[in-house]
Amino acid sequence: MAHLDVERRAEVRTLVVRLSWREALLARRRAVVVPLAEVRAAGVEPDWWRAMRGTPVTGRCRPGRFCVGEREHPLGRDFVAVRAGVPAVVVDLRHPVPFVRLAVSVPDAAQAVGTLRRHLGRDGGGEYGSVASG
């Protein structure tokens, strides 16, 4: 299962989505790295399938089981690594860097969102769509 980390790279704090080896194989990438300053909002989506939007471009989806890869929609591209039955951390980004949204199933989504919000220096992290605050 994927993991979210906040790291400092070249004096810039970044959000890093590290994929498991199976997810990396399906997505054809090991990690997604975005500047922490580009994070607009973060929340927990209890229903993993609601975190996805658009149509698959790269990666693999098995309906009712998992979806890993890029999805395209009118606003841009999202990166997803979600599993059935596991809540997803949903991170909306300010600019397409290179994605508009990240949706990632992690072992403890509420804790991951809380940690991310602390690094952002905000309490709420924003509300959007059906994403419930963790």
Side-chain angles (χ1 to χ4, degrees):
M1 192 172 292
H3 293 280
L4 295 175
D5 295 315
V6 175
E7 297 178 355
R8 183 172 293 279
R9 293 182 177 203
E11 301 304 317
V12 175
R13 289 190 312 167
T14 58
L15 173 63
V16 181
V17 177
R18 295 190 196 291
L19 301 175
S20 69
W21 70 269
R22 284 187 179 127
E23 292 168 331
L25 192 64
L26 295 172
R28 296 185 182 172
R29 65 170 56 222
R30 295 176 133 188
V32 175
V33 180
V34 296
L36 202 57
E38 295 297 329
V39 173
R40 181 172 60 82
V44 176
E45 176 53 68
D47 299 321
W48 67 280
W49 52 270
R50 288 183 188 238
M52 295 187 302
R53 55 188 182 177
T55 56
V57 177
T58 65
R60 186 75 41 119
C61 289
R62 179 166 277 169
R65 304 227 16 227
F66 68 87
C67 189
V68 179
E70 296 179 26
R71 299 179 67 88
E72 194 167 50
H73 52 84
L75 299 175
R77 283 190 179 204
D78 293 348
F79 181 81
V80 299
V82 293
R83 289 182 174 198
V86 181
V89 173
V90 178
V91 179
D92 280 341
L93 304 170
R94 294 186 205 288
H95 303 103
V97 287
F99 303 107
V100 177
R101 175 181 281 179
L102 305 175
V104 183
S105 292
V106 296
D108 188 351
Q111 180 182 1
V113 168
T115 301
L116 179 57
R117 288 178 178 171
R118 278 194 299 281
H119 281 286
L120 291 170
R122 347 184 167 135
D123 212 8
E127 295 297 324
Y128 48 90
S130 62
V131 176
S133 292

